Amino acid sequence: MKQILHQSLNPQLPILQSPPTPPATGLPFQVPRPHKLLRRDLAVAAASTLPLLVSTFWYRQAKADEVPTSTTDCSAQTITEKAFLDVAIDGAPAGRITVGLYGDAVPFGSSRFADLVTGAAGISYRRKEFVKIVPGYVQHSGVRSYGVDVELARRGGGGNLAAENLVAEWESLSKNCSGTKNAVGSLGLIIRDPTKPPPKLKLVAREGKLEIDAEEIRKDPNGTEFVIVVKDSPELDASTLVIGRVVEGMDVVEKISKVKTVQENTSSPYFRVAKLIGDKRAVVAERGFNRPYAKVVVTNCGLAS
């Protein structure tokens, strides 16, 4: 009767069927009820699985600790020898900077710097200037890749100013050392120019034949320019090989960093347009950015006893 009334009131709904009658077995029929989890059951299950989870965690942690890491922190290498740089600002002595060289970690870079401060390469940093001062570091000009410097280097046995071996040492340190290499107080040789564009291809005539030649946009660094870091400068890691650190005279480096410089103007839309169209005036102006107004010169240099 209830089913007929339900269908008359809701003609779209199907008639509900009663559950099938269990087969007659002579035993009382019982509808199975779902098992109800009690708090006691949950507590027992947790107590039995917790030791297993903890032991699995510590096992995985131990295995992770056993895997050797491919990189290490190389910020504090062993110092094998020391060199000094006496600096003057506009002719007034500013003090002495003493640096320790990492002869074991970067033997070629350290020996090159030592040859340049002692003059063993035929040329030296003496009477050469710091040409760039930014908030993170101060940069020395090094020696020139042309003219008198190269001739003196050739006569002194240090004529090869290429930086191939320095690049190899830089690649090794970059692969094996983690973290910022150019940290506060570090001394590094500039060996690469990461902003250098690829060479342009041009068609030239040689001995009556047309050949494709690669025209270099600008020369690579010769591995003699160096920087002393005032603040951690990870942006230098792509171009600079760290060969030592300042052990005395960091106050002198601070004095150099506070010298007034030519204001950088790369954000100017006029400068951007001029550089984009290849205006030589923009190139010349860019070379002058961050140059000190005062003359900051290495008056004397050599190896410290």
Side-chain angles (χ1 to χ4, degrees):
M1 186 64 182
K2 290 181 179 180
Q3 294 178 354
I4 296 173
L5 180 61
H6 178 78
Q7 179 65 21
S8 63
L9 295 175
N10 301 279
Q12 301 299 326
L13 299 177
I15 299 176
L16 299 177
Q17 301 292 334
S18 59
T21 305
T25 58
L27 298 176
F29 178 76
Q30 294 181 353
V31 178
R33 293 181 297 176
H35 178 68
K36 184 178 181 181
L37 291 177
L38 302 178
R39 292 183 179 180
R40 179 175 56 83
D41 298 330
L42 293 175
V44 172
S48 61
T49 57
L50 184 59
L52 178 61
L53 293 175
V54 173
S55 61
T56 304
F57 169 80
W58 286 114
Y59 174 78
R60 291 179 178 177
Q61 188 69 20
K63 284 294 184 183
D65 294 340
E66 290 177 1
V67 178
T69 56
S70 58
T71 59
T72 57
D73 184 7
C74 301
S75 59
Q77 298 284 357
T78 302
I79 293 176
T80 56
E81 60 182 344
K82 296 180 181 180
F84 70 89
L85 303 165
D86 290 336
V87 179
I89 300 176
D90 272 348
R96 170 171 291 191
I97 303 171
T98 304
V99 296
L101 303 178
Y102 303 149
D104 293 335
V106 279
F108 188 81
S110 297
S111 63
R112 166 172 282 202
F113 188 84
D115 288 345
L116 287 168
V117 295
T118 59
I123 46 180
S124 78
Y125 291 131
R126 192 174 302 168
R127 293 187 293 277
K128 299 291 194 301
E129 301 179 34
F130 284 87
V131 294
K132 186 176 182 180
I133 299 174
V134 296
Y137 59 91
V138 297
Q139 178 178 331
H140 191 271
S141 64
V143 299
R144 293 170 296 183
S145 299
Y146 57 89
V148 178
D149 284 349
V150 169
E151 180 63 23
L152 291 175
R154 185 184 64 80
R155 294 179 182 179
N160 182 18
L161 295 178
E164 286 84 359
N165 291 335
L166 296 174
V167 173
E169 287 188 342
W170 171 84
E171 291 175 346
S172 177
L173 286 182
S174 298
K175 180 179 179 181
N176 298 324
C177 299
S178 62
T180 301
K181 286 76 173 175
N182 288 270
V184 176
S186 65
L187 166 73
L189 293 175
I190 299 177
I191 59 171
R192 294 179 65 248
D193 183 0
T195 64
K196 181 180 179 180
K200 291 183 178 180
L201 300 180
K202 63 178 181 178
L203 198 63
V204 296
R206 290 195 181 99
E207 298 179 356
K209 296 181 180 180
L210 292 177
E211 298 179 359
I212 297 178
D213 191 17
E215 180 184 8
E216 293 288 343
I217 303 299
R218 56 178 178 264
K219 294 183 179 179
D220 288 317
N222 61 17
T224 64
E225 297 174 78
F226 66 86
V227 297
I228 302 177
V229 180
V230 182
K231 299 178 182 178
D232 286 359
S233 302
E235 69 274 11
L236 290 174
D237 290 348
S239 59
T240 304
L241 172 66
V242 176
I243 60 170
R245 65 178 182 270
V246 176
V247 293
E248 292 179 14
M250 196 62 194
D251 58 325
V252 181
V253 182
E254 294 283 352
K255 288 180 185 179
I256 299 173
S257 68
K258 294 177 182 178
V259 173
K260 290 185 178 181
T261 61
V262 178
Q263 185 177 4
E264 185 174 335
N265 197 27
T266 55
S267 60
S268 169
Y270 302 102
F271 173 81
R272 291 180 179 180
V273 172
K275 188 175 181 181
L276 183 64
I277 64 177
D279 193 329
K280 292 184 178 180
R281 291 174 295 180
V283 176
V284 174
E286 188 176 22
R287 291 174 182 171
F289 292 160
N290 300 310
R291 293 185 71 93
Y293 284 113
K295 196 169 185 179
V296 185
V297 181
V298 174
T299 56
N300 194 19
C301 54
L303 293 180
S305 56

